[in-house]
Amino acid sequence: MSSLRERTVDIPAATPHEPTDPPAVRISPNLFGVSFGVAGLAEAWSAAADLADTPAFVADLLWAVVAVTWAATAVRYAAYVIRGRRVVAELVDPVTAPFIALALIVPMLLGAALADHNRPAGVTIWAVALSLTIVFGGWISGQWIISDLRLAQWHPGYFLPTVAGGLLAAATSAQLHYTGFAKVMFGYGVICWIVLGSILLQRLFTGPMLAVPLRPTMAIEVAPPVVAGIAWFGIDGQRIDLLSYGLAGYAALMVLVQVRLIPVYRTVPFGPGWWAFSFSYAAVFVDGIRWLAAEHVPHRLGWTYVLLAIISAAMAALAARTAYALGKRTFLPTPTAVR
């Protein structure tokens, strides 16, 4: 009887704003990191096709996978949010709200890729997604200003709405030959990187270790210099200048930091957070492919295939591990395991 009494006490009464049947799993916006990661691999193969004459069909196939994965995630996440009446809660959540930006950034990348085959349709998708990315970046930056955030709540995912959004907007704008707008968005992304990066490094250097599920977000620290490098190559005509060298130097430091963090990453149970590694590391390889072309490295086609093989194998291993976890129903966290 005592155990029965405890159960009845622990069950909260339903209210008009609270679903009577809580979901078995938590669908967090960081799940969009899966399609974002595959987009990073697709970008690598696209860059190789443009600069080293590798087969373009591989990139096209990967972009199709990105579209399907993004759509499936969007449907699942929208259903979770609507059924749970969580629209406002998701937008103001100090931990997971920054990841909502990925739902907007991925279509921006898809639109730029589609423009190679159907420019009107691709540019339309790109422009709508880019506009939403900018609007969301402005809104959530304002939200951070008015919220009572503690420094310990910050994590590198805070780079996503404005730094990743801005720099990827710059890269895709240059890809679509909107060079002036690309420069605007490059400034947008770089200045946000300077501002937010100083806060985040202070948090990481002086604060307590991130909560275990958030530790993979430290992989995002490597992304700003390499994505900025990719964008600058597009803006500056694939030339190497002082800014390119400076970004490459900081990128090298961040890669070495990632090596030191391997023991920390090994403490994290497998879940959606692991996809934080995917786009960030893929961007390193995209930047590497662009450097091979810009430096006119001898046998660069062979070196390009080496880079593609490494990142493709790593992404395949991550996808296989995800499929296994989904089959075991251990991939998605329970609602009580979000923090």
Side-chain angles (χ1 to χ4, degrees):
M1 286 296 291
S2 62
S3 61
L4 178 60
R5 188 179 300 113
E6 289 170 0
R7 283 185 199 151
T8 57
V9 169
D10 288 341
I11 298 176
T15 69
H17 302 288
E18 192 173 288
T20 55
D21 296 316
V25 294
R26 167 79 161 97
I27 307 298
S28 174
N30 71 337
L31 197 59
F32 284 101
V34 178
S35 56
F36 191 47
V38 181
L41 180 61
E43 288 282 5
W45 279 93
S46 294
D50 291 339
L51 301 171
D53 201 28
T54 60
F57 78 89
V58 179
D60 293 339
L61 179 61
L62 288 169
W63 284 118
V65 174
V66 172
V68 171
T69 306
W70 178 88
T73 305
V75 169
R76 185 75 186 271
Y77 179 63
Y80 174 84
V81 170
I82 294 169
R83 282 202 304 263
R85 302 177 185 178
R86 293 188 49 84
V87 175
V88 174
E90 292 291 302
L91 288 171
V92 300
D93 191 301
V95 174
T96 61
F99 295 102
I100 294 174
L102 296 179
L104 309 174
I105 293 172
V106 173
M108 180 171 64
L109 299 176
L110 280 167
L114 178 60
D116 289 338
H117 305 281
N118 185 328
R119 187 170 177 88
V123 169
T124 299
I125 294 171
W126 169 82
V128 171
L130 182 146
S131 300
L132 292 174
T133 298
I134 294 173
V135 169
F136 180 71
W139 183 88
I140 199 168
S141 295
Q143 176 65 23
W144 294 338
I145 291 172
I146 65 174
S147 297
D148 186 20
L149 286 174
R150 299 183 306 276
L151 186 60
Q153 292 177 295
W154 284 65
H155 58 79
Y158 277 57
F159 276 141
L160 296 173
T162 55
V163 181
L167 292 176
L168 288 171
T172 53
S173 297
Q175 178 183 338
L176 296 172
H177 308 295
Y178 300 132
T179 307
F181 188 69
K183 293 176 181 177
V184 171
M185 295 311 299
F186 185 82
Y188 173 105
V190 167
I191 292 172
C192 289
W193 173 26
I194 293 169
V195 173
L196 296 177
S198 62
I199 298 171
L200 288 166
L201 287 177
Q202 180 186 6
R203 187 264 177 267
L204 293 175
F205 286 168
T206 65
M209 178 64 72
L210 291 170
V212 172
L214 289 172
R215 290 177 186 175
T217 64
M218 290 188 289
I220 299 173
E221 287 286 341
V222 79
V226 293
V227 177
I230 294 165
W232 188 247
F233 272 136
I235 293 169
D236 201 37
Q238 196 63 28
R239 292 192 297 268
I240 296 176
D241 56 15
L242 180 61
L243 181 56
S244 302
Y245 281 119
L247 291 170
Y250 188 69
L253 171 63
M254 289 295 101
V255 169
L256 292 174
V257 169
Q258 293 299 305
V259 175
R260 177 62 184 88
L261 292 176
I262 289 173
V264 177
Y265 293 147
R266 294 180 64 184
T267 67
V268 182
F270 189 79
W274 275 68
W275 281 88
F277 298 108
S278 57
F279 187 90
S280 299
Y281 291 177
V284 174
F285 283 78
V286 175
D287 200 26
I289 290 168
R290 290 193 170 276
W291 269 92
L292 288 174
E295 289 278 21
H296 303 289
V297 174
H299 311 294
R300 67 176 179 272
L301 178 60
W303 286 112
T304 297
Y305 272 117
V306 169
L307 294 179
L308 290 174
I310 294 171
I311 190 60
S312 297
M315 203 73 71
L318 183 57
R321 184 67 179 85
T322 299
Y324 177 80
L326 284 170
K328 292 289 187 178
R329 298 187 177 182
T330 60
F331 182 65
L332 298 175
T334 60
T336 57
V338 177
R339 300 291 188 273

